[in-house]
Amino acid sequence: LALFERDFGFMFKAERDARNGQDEDEQSTLNVNQKDDYLNPEFIPDPDKPKRWINGVLPLFFFFASVFSAVAVDGLNQAEIKGTTKTFQNIVSSARTMYVLLWGSSSTLVFSILLFVIQRIMTLKLAMGTVIAGIQDTAPALFVLTLAFALSEAVDAIHMGKFIASAISSWMPASILPSVTTLVSSMISFTSGSSYGTMGIMFPLILPVAHYINPGDTNLLLGTIAAIISGANFGDHCSPFSDTTILSALVAGIPHTKHVKTQMPYAVTAKILAILLGFLPVGLELYPAWAALIIGVVFLIAILLLIGKRVGTFKIGGNQVLVQDVNSLLYRLYLKIRGKRNFEVVA
């Protein structure tokens, strides 16, 4: 899109309106510049406080250091309990992920609070208020994940995977399992808005099916895993219930529905091509997976050139110069070489 200066679907009109400074839609009710119920004015950064890049880098490095140290400590303890040799692989594999991440996140939170309070960027009361507000924001996602984990355990306990496998293995060919899987995964993620929740549902249900339909087929298993992840990300990208969709509209300061409308053509196009050029032909063994990636990229570029529209033109002084599709980046370079740096893009 950026290379060819082209766009299609609802995003084409949105981009042209943005370049002209026009927007016929109403402003977002989740605008970050508004002091409304969605953003407590108390948590808006004080413009008079110093802004140091180190305050963003130090917590990140501290988190990685905490996680690695927790892996080493817990991995050594677990390896000793299990009686395995203390090799690097055994230590890392023996470490309990839940405890490692809990220790890393908790210690980093305490470190960040101390870092900001010591510099007087935040008071202790304000820091704890942001922690509570963050917990409130993540509560729905954690609730969905908790239910997904519970469902996963229940599905495993009643052997639903084996039941579904025995029910469909007699009539469903292994070649179309990834295609069917990605469609089901897409529908679940779109209606739920959660990619992790979708994967928590689909993995314990579908992977046993792939195993029982064709035991020992690594390609089928990997294709099914890819299909689940692909479908989960489809819904997470364009579902109106997705947290990433809501946050993207919030940050951009646009209506939530407008973001969904502009992203839908991208996601649907990619999903259709993934099924028709990827999962289905690879499942039928028409060509390997790496060839499907190349063919998919070629078709995406072809679609953009065939149905995509030119977004705008360059304006140099009083003259408008038409953007030349594929050569637009080369033309920009030519203008800079000629010393004409003060140009702008207009619709």
Side-chain angles (χ1 to χ4, degrees):
L1 298 176
L3 177 64
F4 299 123
E5 294 283 348
R6 285 176 172 265
D7 220 322
F8 66 95
F10 295 107
M11 183 60 82
F12 170 74
K13 184 179 183 302
E15 187 171 352
R16 294 196 67 174
D17 290 342
R19 293 190 177 198
N20 286 332
Q22 301 172 354
D23 188 359
E24 61 185 18
D25 293 327
E26 58 182 294
Q27 291 297 317
S28 173
T29 55
L30 298 178
N31 196 318
V32 294
N33 295 321
Q34 297 174 352
K35 297 182 179 181
D36 51 23
D37 294 337
Y38 293 98
L39 187 62
N40 193 328
E42 186 180 6
F43 300 147
I44 297 177
D46 188 347
D48 297 328
K49 297 294 183 180
K51 298 177 178 63
R52 304 184 179 101
W53 64 270
I54 196 69
N55 290 332
V57 175
L58 277 180
L60 186 62
F61 277 99
F62 186 87
F63 173 75
F64 287 122
S66 300
V67 169
F68 290 145
S69 62
V71 168
V73 173
D74 191 62
L76 283 171
N77 291 335
Q78 293 300 315
E80 185 174 351
I81 293 174
K82 296 176 181 178
T84 58
T85 56
K86 297 179 181 179
T87 62
F88 177 79
Q89 181 177 357
N90 289 338
I91 292 174
V92 173
S93 61
S94 299
R96 294 168 295 180
T97 307
M98 184 68 68
Y99 292 95
V100 168
L101 293 179
L102 181 62
W103 168 255
S105 58
S106 301
S107 59
T108 304
L109 175 61
V110 174
F111 174 80
S112 301
I113 292 176
L114 293 177
L115 181 65
F116 298 142
V117 171
I118 291 174
Q119 298 179 76
R120 297 185 178 181
I121 296 177
M122 303 174 70
T123 62
L124 182 59
K125 179 181 179 181
L126 178 59
M128 297 309 299
T130 58
V131 172
I132 295 174
I135 294 174
Q136 292 174 344
D137 290 340
T138 57
L142 294 176
F143 182 69
V144 172
L145 285 177
T146 302
L147 292 179
F149 291 145
L151 178 61
S152 177
E153 292 293 331
V155 166
D156 184 63
I158 64 176
H159 304 288
M160 184 176 290
K162 293 182 179 180
F163 170 75
I164 296 177
S166 61
I168 69 175
S169 59
S170 59
W171 61 268
M172 177 178 285
S175 58
I176 68 171
L177 179 61
S179 301
V180 174
T181 298
T182 194
L183 285 174
V184 175
S185 183
S186 298
M187 289 187 291
I188 294 177
S189 62
F190 184 81
T191 54
S192 66
S194 172
S195 58
Y196 286 105
T198 301
M199 288 185 280
I201 294 172
M202 293 295 291
F203 275 126
L205 279 177
I206 303 300
L207 291 188
V209 175
H211 172 72
Y212 286 111
I213 286 180
N214 200 355
D217 190 343
T218 306
N219 291 331
L220 176 62
L221 184 62
L222 293 178
T224 305
I225 293 174
I228 294 174
I229 297 175
S230 173
N233 282 283
F234 167 82
D236 186 59
H237 181 73
C238 60
S239 171
F241 313 110
S242 172
D243 54 349
T244 54
T245 303
I246 296 172
L247 291 176
S248 297
L250 168 65
V251 173
I254 62 174
H256 175 221
T257 54
K258 184 174 182 179
H259 178 65
V260 174
K261 183 172 67 174
T262 54
Q263 294 303 302
M264 189 69 72
Y266 294 156
V268 172
T269 301
K271 176 53 62 178
I272 292 175
L273 291 182
I275 295 175
L276 297 181
L277 303 177
F279 293 115
L280 196 56
V282 172
L284 294 172
E285 298 183 350
L286 298 180
Y287 45 74
W290 62 265
L293 294 175
I294 297 175
I295 295 173
V297 171
V298 171
F299 268 78
L300 285 174
I301 295 175
I303 289 174
L304 181 61
L305 293 177
L306 290 175
I307 69 174
K309 299 178 182 179
R310 189 178 296 110
V311 175
T313 59
F314 287 121
K315 183 178 181 181
I316 308 175
N319 301 321
Q320 289 188 356
V321 182
L322 190 64
V323 175
Q324 298 297 325
D325 298 341
V326 178
N327 296 322
S328 60
L329 291 181
L330 297 178
Y331 195 77
R332 288 175 185 241
L333 179 60
Y334 165 75
L335 293 175
K336 290 185 177 181
I337 294 175
R338 291 285 303 273
K340 298 179 180 180
R341 301 178 182 274
N342 297 323
F343 57 87
E344 59 178 340
V345 180
V346 296

